[in-house]
Amino acid sequence: MQTTLQALLAPILGTADTGDVAQTVHVAPLQEAATGLVSRAQLAQALGLVLFHQLMARVPTGQAYVSEVRAQGRQVVFDHGAVRTVASPCGALPPGDAAIIRILRPLGYALQAVYPLPRLSMTGRAWCHADAPQDLPQFFVSELHPDRFSEQFQAAVARVVSRSVDPLKHADIVALEQLARDKTLPLSLAQQLLPQLVACFGRQHPEPLWSDYQILRQESPEMAWISTEGNAFNHATDRVQDIHAVAQAQRAEGRPIKDSIEVSGSGRIQQTAFRADPVQRPFRTEQGTEWHTVPGSFYEFIQRAHLPQVAGEPPALDLAFDAGNATGIFSMTAAAGVAENPSPPAST
């Protein structure tokens, strides 16, 4: 008998990939809604799994690690996914993190904490699910502030994002309002809404000018990344038990993992990551379209310790983030080189 999660995933991923992702990622059992209904937590779980699956398709280094985990009979614990936004008028798309928050709130996510990232001229916000905080992946949504950069940079940002489109139609907004009100949706409506939500995690603006990419890259590798990748998952994160052992094993495999491990001020959060996999992206020029190799997304690891236990309460993981850790992890998309490749890649 098909589960609710399978009924949500199969129309998007197909039967084979639905089974594959369920074997790859630890899927927490969630309380079923009434017959024929999908809870907001179940829809959030399905969205996270689709986005994880999509990231694996474009991050070969992460895919190699995940395949290794599966071969060892283990599963990935999907801790969080990260999304980048820019606080600038974005055409038909709500500006900044509002484009993502309008999705997260109806799905049951609540703002957990705000993390200023002054070295990057960004602000990060952690969104944690109210119904299953330790079982569903968090969303770390960052917002870049163009007004903290040069006028030339701000003009380039405007040229890049001002013609963004909105993947959500009126019917999708109405469905999200219904989900926010009732905390459930009929299965058929949830199946219609899910691919629209998935579409929000992509690039909504036209391919950028190569000259604008160069301007952005000089002042903010993060904004340069947004110009080619948009609101796609910047990274997905595996919650591991021994991050030092994982890093050592991946380094021994020759994979491009960060040289150091970031440790939070509390000492309870440790993070490291692979360097971003390069991707080929099209750029507009006066002569037409050129393809260049630029930093894509990446795969991250996090180890979380328990919070100090309160008498009479069960142990709880520290689900917080750390601004210093985040700043260090963001550099993973700044390290890859940029190379010219005037012809489109063979796969296009």
Side-chain angles (χ1 to χ4, degrees):
M1 182 178 177
Q2 191 180 48
T3 66
T4 300
L5 183 60
Q6 290 169 336
L8 291 169
L9 295 179
I12 299 175
L13 301 182
T15 303
D17 282 350
T18 293
D20 182 76
V21 74
Q23 291 178 6
T24 300
V25 182
H26 171 69
V27 177
L30 299 175
Q31 184 176 354
E32 289 284 338
T35 302
L37 294 178
V38 177
S39 72
R40 63 183 188 178
Q42 290 172 316
L43 190 55
Q45 186 177 61
L47 174 63
L49 289 173
V50 174
L51 295 177
F52 183 93
H53 178 80
Q54 290 184 341
L55 182 127
M56 287 297 98
R58 63 180 187 273
V59 180
T61 308
Q63 180 62 66
Y65 163 79
V66 168
S67 297
E68 186 178 81
V69 168
R70 283 193 60 177
Q72 296 169 355
R74 299 184 291 113
Q75 289 183 309
V76 167
V77 178
F78 185 14
D79 183 88
H80 69 273
V83 182
R84 293 178 178 179
T85 69
V86 52
S88 179
C90 293
L93 190 70
D97 62 4
I100 305 299
I101 292 172
R102 63 181 177 155
I103 296 168
L104 297 182
R105 286 191 189 279
L107 286 171
Y109 282 91
L111 180 62
Q112 190 76 2
V114 178
Y115 299 92
L117 307 170
R119 284 171 49 192
L120 305 176
S121 294
M122 301 179 80
T123 301
R125 294 178 175 88
W127 291 81
C128 188
H129 204 278
D131 302 336
Q134 296 195 65
D135 294 323
L136 292 179
Q138 294 188 67
F139 281 74
F140 191 88
V141 184
S142 58
E143 190 176 53
L144 182 132
H145 306 288
D147 58 351
R148 302 179 189 177
F149 294 88
S150 70
E151 291 185 3
Q152 181 186 34
F153 180 94
Q154 294 178 51
V157 169
R159 286 191 293 269
V160 167
V161 303
S162 62
R163 290 189 291 150
S164 298
V165 299
D166 189 352
L168 295 185
K169 309 307 179 188
H170 176 70
D172 305 321
I173 300 297
V174 172
L176 284 170
E177 291 172 348
Q178 180 178 342
L179 180 62
R181 182 187 68 241
D182 301 339
K183 300 184 181 180
T184 61
L185 283 178
L187 175 60
S188 60
L189 185 54
Q191 289 173 320
Q192 295 172 34
L193 179 62
L194 181 57
Q196 300 303 111
L197 301 184
V198 171
C200 292
F201 294 84
R203 194 189 77 209
Q204 313 304 342
H205 53 264
E207 57 197 39
L209 288 165
W210 176 240
S211 55
D212 281 339
Y213 182 85
Q214 299 285 49
I215 292 170
L216 299 175
R217 184 167 171 259
Q218 288 297 316
E219 295 190 43
S220 170
E222 290 72 34
M223 184 61 222
W225 190 93
I226 293 171
S227 75
T228 63
E229 310 306 300
N231 304 133
F233 254 16
N234 173 255
H235 64 266
T237 306
D238 187 4
R239 188 188 302 164
V240 299
Q241 297 297 317
D242 187 340
I243 198 167
H244 291 272
V246 169
Q248 184 177 2
Q250 296 309 301
R251 198 167 289 115
E253 290 289 338
R255 294 180 185 135
I257 198 163
K258 196 173 185 295
D259 294 333
S260 60
I261 291 174
E262 305 288 341
V263 181
S264 66
S266 70
R268 291 189 293 269
I269 313 298
Q270 300 180 71
Q271 293 169 261
T272 193
F274 291 131
R275 300 190 184 280
D277 279 296
V279 293
Q280 289 186 316
R281 295 290 184 255
F283 294 86
R284 291 179 291 126
T285 70
E286 292 183 357
Q287 291 72 40
T289 299
E290 289 183 358
W291 290 78
H292 295 267
T293 301
V294 298
S297 300
F298 63 95
Y299 195 82
E300 184 195 21
F301 306 92
I302 191 167
Q303 180 177 333
R304 295 187 181 276
H306 285 88
L307 290 164
Q309 191 165 1
V310 177
E313 295 186 7
L317 282 179
D318 189 340
L319 297 177
F321 292 89
D322 182 90
N325 283 16
T327 300
I329 293 297
F330 269 52
S331 67
M332 295 299 94
T333 56
V338 177
E340 294 189 10
N341 181 22
S343 301
S347 60
T348 62

